[in-house]
PDB file of all heavy atoms in Angstrom:
ATOM      1  N   ASP A  36     -33.257 -89.187 -72.335  1.00 98.00           N
ATOM      2  CA  ASP A  36     -34.023 -89.049 -73.590  1.00 98.00           C
ATOM      3  C   ASP A  36     -33.767 -87.695 -74.230  1.00 98.00           C
ATOM      4  O   ASP A  36     -33.485 -87.590 -75.433  1.00 98.00           O
ATOM      5  CB  ASP A  36     -35.526 -89.193 -73.311  1.00 98.00           C
ATOM      6  CG  ASP A  36     -35.948 -90.630 -73.033  1.00 98.00           C
ATOM      7  OD1 ASP A  36     -35.108 -91.534 -73.177  1.00 98.00           O
ATOM      8  OD2 ASP A  36     -37.121 -90.843 -72.663  1.00 98.00           O
ATOM      9  N   ALA A  37     -33.889 -86.636 -73.414  1.00 98.00           N
ATOM     10  CA  ALA A  37     -33.742 -85.280 -73.949  1.00 98.00           C
ATOM     11  C   ALA A  37     -32.336 -85.060 -74.512  1.00 98.00           C
ATOM     12  O   ALA A  37     -32.164 -84.486 -75.599  1.00 98.00           O
ATOM     13  CB  ALA A  37     -34.069 -84.242 -72.870  1.00 98.00           C
ATOM     14  N   LEU A  38     -31.317 -85.537 -73.790  1.00 98.00           N
ATOM     15  CA  LEU A  38     -29.933 -85.390 -74.270  1.00 98.00           C
ATOM     16  C   LEU A  38     -29.702 -86.250 -75.510  1.00 98.00           C
ATOM     17  O   LEU A  38     -28.938 -85.863 -76.407  1.00 98.00           O
ATOM     18  CB  LEU A  38     -28.944 -85.725 -73.148  1.00 98.00           C
ATOM     19  CG  LEU A  38     -28.940 -84.683 -72.010  1.00 98.00           C
ATOM     20  CD1 LEU A  38     -28.287 -85.240 -70.749  1.00 98.00           C
ATOM     21  CD2 LEU A  38     -28.224 -83.396 -72.438  1.00 98.00           C
ATOM     22  N   GLY A  39     -30.369 -87.402 -75.579  1.00 98.00           N
ATOM     23  CA  GLY A  39     -30.274 -88.264 -76.769  1.00 98.00           C
ATOM     24  C   GLY A  39     -30.850 -87.579 -77.998  1.00 98.00           C
ATOM     25  O   GLY A  39     -30.272 -87.662 -79.094  1.00 98.00           O
ATOM     26  N   VAL A  40     -31.988 -86.906 -77.832  1.00 98.00           N
ATOM     27  CA  VAL A  40     -32.596 -86.193 -78.959  1.00 98.00           C
ATOM     28  C   VAL A  40     -31.671 -85.049 -79.395  1.00 98.00           C
ATOM     29  O   VAL A  40     -31.472 -84.811 -80.595  1.00 98.00           O
ATOM     30  CB  VAL A  40     -33.996 -85.656 -78.586  1.00 98.00           C
ATOM     31  CG1 VAL A  40     -34.612 -84.883 -79.749  1.00 98.00           C
ATOM     32  CG2 VAL A  40     -34.927 -86.803 -78.196  1.00 98.00           C
ATOM     33  N   MET A  41     -31.061 -84.372 -78.423  1.00 98.00           N
ATOM     34  CA  MET A  41     -30.135 -83.284 -78.764  1.00 98.00           C
ATOM     35  C   MET A  41     -28.939 -83.811 -79.557  1.00 98.00           C
ATOM     36  O   MET A  41     -28.503 -83.187 -80.531  1.00 98.00           O
ATOM     37  CB  MET A  41     -29.647 -82.568 -77.502  1.00 98.00           C
ATOM     38  CG  MET A  41     -30.757 -81.821 -76.796  1.00 98.00           C
ATOM     39  SD  MET A  41     -30.118 -80.684 -75.550  1.00 98.00           S
ATOM     40  CE  MET A  41     -29.469 -79.390 -76.619  1.00 98.00           C
ATOM     41  N   ALA A  42     -28.398 -84.952 -79.134  1.00 98.00           N
ATOM     42  CA  ALA A  42     -27.243 -85.523 -79.826  1.00 98.00           C
ATOM     43  C   ALA A  42     -27.617 -85.871 -81.277  1.00 98.00           C
ATOM     44  O   ALA A  42     -26.832 -85.633 -82.200  1.00 98.00           O
ATOM     45  CB  ALA A  42     -26.763 -86.772 -79.085  1.00 98.00           C
ATOM     46  N   TRP A  43     -28.811 -86.409 -81.453  1.00 98.00           N
ATOM     47  CA  TRP A  43     -29.280 -86.749 -82.812  1.00 98.00           C
ATOM     48  C   TRP A  43     -29.381 -85.508 -83.683  1.00 98.00           C
ATOM     49  O   TRP A  43     -28.971 -85.505 -84.850  1.00 98.00           O
ATOM     50  CB  TRP A  43     -30.639 -87.438 -82.704  1.00 98.00           C
ATOM     51  CG  TRP A  43     -31.303 -87.748 -84.011  1.00 98.00           C
ATOM     52  CD1 TRP A  43     -32.050 -86.882 -84.775  1.00 98.00           C
ATOM     53  CD2 TRP A  43     -31.313 -88.994 -84.712  1.00 98.00           C
ATOM     54  NE1 TRP A  43     -32.519 -87.521 -85.890  1.00 98.00           N
ATOM     55  CE2 TRP A  43     -32.087 -88.821 -85.882  1.00 98.00           C
ATOM     56  CE3 TRP A  43     -30.763 -90.244 -84.468  1.00 98.00           C
ATOM     57  CZ2 TRP A  43     -32.312 -89.853 -86.807  1.00 98.00           C
ATOM     58  CZ3 TRP A  43     -30.994 -91.270 -85.375  1.00 98.00           C
ATOM     59  CH2 TRP A  43     -31.750 -91.066 -86.527  1.00 98.00           C
ATOM     60  N   GLN A  44     -29.938 -84.438 -83.124  1.00 98.00           N
ATOM     61  CA  GLN A  44     -30.092 -83.185 -83.884  1.00 98.00           C
ATOM     62  C   GLN A  44     -28.730 -82.561 -84.190  1.00 98.00           C
ATOM     63  O   GLN A  44     -28.520 -81.952 -85.230  1.00 98.00           O
ATOM     64  CB  GLN A  44     -30.969 -82.175 -83.113  1.00 98.00           C
ATOM     65  CG  GLN A  44     -32.395 -82.658 -82.845  1.00 98.00           C
ATOM     66  CD  GLN A  44     -33.221 -82.797 -84.110  1.00 98.00           C
ATOM     67  OE1 GLN A  44     -32.973 -82.122 -85.114  1.00 98.00           O
ATOM     68  NE2 GLN A  44     -34.216 -83.685 -84.084  1.00 98.00           N
TER      69      GLN A  44
END
Side-chain angles (χ1 to χ4, degrees):
Chain A
D36 286 353
L38 291 163
V40 178
M41 293 193 74
W43 175 278
Q44 298 293 334

